[in-house]
Amino acid sequence: MYKIAVCDDDDRVLQEVSALIREWNPEIRVDCFSGGEELAEKYIPYEAIFLDIDMAGMNGIETGKKIRSMDMETKIIYLTAYRDYVAGAFGVHAFQYLLKPVNKKAVWNVLKEIFRYTKTAEEKTILSFKTVDGIVCLPINEIYFFEYQNRRIRMVTAKEEYYLADRIGNVEENMRPYGFSMPHQSFVVNMCHVKNVKSGQIMMDNGLEVPLSQKKQKTWKQELIGYLSDRLEQRGEGKGI
């Protein structure tokens, strides 16, 4: 049985979203929580969590971080009435953002996408790279960043590192359509793995840090927020990545 949690301190929204999920598929188990503390305390693995951002007590961002410390796989769908919250939520790696008031079409489209990802691993975007040791094929979401060093490109992934004979500019151009950006003349990062930005350093969610060029600090942060805002707009309409 698939399990989904809905967490919102507004009982009307809680009941509305849970009812839409059950209407879409009555076989899904839906657990409702009225606050982040309750969700964190009673947490079990869920396929997805519909999570309000602006809650009393432990807000949605804090709750999302707590959930991520226990479960890196669940898909978090943030519910928010304010676009301004999106920038503060990027460290949680939300799967979707839905603007309130939610509607049936948006919720159902999100559910379709959740289970498309859950049931069909083959649909992950996989690219081939010509490394110094041969061709490797990798899912986009396993790549954290590229670094230019010693006339080669170091590609850091979830499992190991590879080296490419290429130019960093070419890498940036080829990877930009997949959510990658260039915060420094020697680095190209996967923005979906950015956890935080502080004091000229970009903290990735694998614990590594990437420098943020002083000249690019303002424009790159705006680009990151734009990336997150685009996801908000797309998810609000139920569109894909």
Side-chain angles (χ1 to χ4, degrees):
M1 177 185 292
Y2 290 111
K3 300 180 293 295
I4 291 179
V6 182
C7 183
D8 199 303
D9 59 358
D10 184 331
D11 187 64
R12 180 184 57 81
V13 175
L14 194 66
Q15 297 306 318
E16 181 182 6
V17 174
S18 60
L20 288 173
I21 296 170
R22 293 188 180 100
E23 184 180 352
W24 185 73
N25 186 343
E27 296 183 1
I28 293 176
R29 167 180 163 180
V30 183
D31 294 340
C32 296
F33 302 90
S34 58
E37 293 88 349
E38 182 186 13
L39 172 60
E41 181 181 348
K42 299 179 180 179
Y43 187 77
I44 61 173
Y46 291 100
E47 271 70 40
I49 303 168
F50 285 76
L51 180 60
D52 182 30
I53 288 185
D54 187 20
M55 295 188 294
M58 183 185 291
N59 65 34
I61 296 173
E62 295 168 337
T63 303
K65 291 179 179 178
K66 180 68 174 179
I67 296 303
R68 278 287 173 252
S69 71
M70 299 183 284
D71 187 346
M72 288 298 296
E73 299 300 323
T74 189
K75 295 169 179 62
I76 295 177
I77 300 91
Y78 270 127
L79 307 173
T80 178
Y82 307 101
R83 288 178 172 82
D84 292 345
Y85 278 112
V86 178
F90 65 79
V92 178
H93 305 295
F95 181 75
Q96 300 270 21
Y97 297 89
L98 289 182
L99 287 173
K100 293 181 178 180
V102 297
N103 62 74
K104 178 189 288 191
K105 181 180 179 181
V107 172
W108 283 18
N109 280 335
V110 169
L111 290 168
K112 290 176 185 177
E113 190 171 0
I114 288 170
F115 289 98
R116 178 171 66 83
Y117 274 78
T118 300
K119 295 177 180 178
T120 315
E122 291 79 12
E123 291 190 14
K124 292 181 180 178
T125 302
I126 297 176
L127 296 181
S128 61
F129 297 88
K130 185 177 181 181
T131 75
V132 296
D133 296 314
I135 301 294
V136 298
C137 297
L138 296 168
I140 292 298
N141 62 356
E142 289 189 9
I143 303 170
Y144 288 92
F145 62 85
F146 299 84
E147 178 188 7
Y148 179 75
Q149 57 176 222
N150 299 324
R151 298 184 180 180
R152 295 190 302 179
I153 303 295
R154 172 186 171 227
M155 180 170 63
V156 178
T157 76
K159 296 179 180 178
E160 56 185 296
E161 298 180 0
Y162 302 90
Y163 288 88
L164 319 176
D166 204 346
R167 296 182 179 181
I168 195 69
N170 292 339
V171 171
E172 190 272 340
E173 181 178 355
N174 293 333
M175 299 305 295
R176 179 168 286 278
Y178 303 101
F180 286 71
S181 182
M182 194 172 189
H184 185 280
Q185 64 180 2
S186 298
F187 288 85
V188 173
V189 302
N190 189 343
M191 288 192 284
C192 81
H193 284 301
V194 173
K195 182 177 181 180
N196 203 353
V197 181
K198 185 191 303 183
S199 302
Q201 293 293 315
I202 300 168
M203 274 65 79
M204 309 298 290
D205 59 16
N206 63 347
L208 296 179
E209 296 184 3
V210 171
L212 173 58
S213 169
Q214 185 174 2
K215 293 182 179 179
K216 290 189 174 184
Q217 284 196 25
K218 183 177 180 179
T219 57
W220 191 83
K221 287 178 182 178
Q222 290 174 340
E223 184 177 352
L224 177 63
I225 292 173
Y227 166 80
L228 296 168
S229 295
D230 285 345
R231 291 185 64 184
L232 170 60
E233 296 291 344
Q234 293 170 1
R235 305 316 188 191
E237 295 299 324
K239 298 177 182 178
I241 293 176

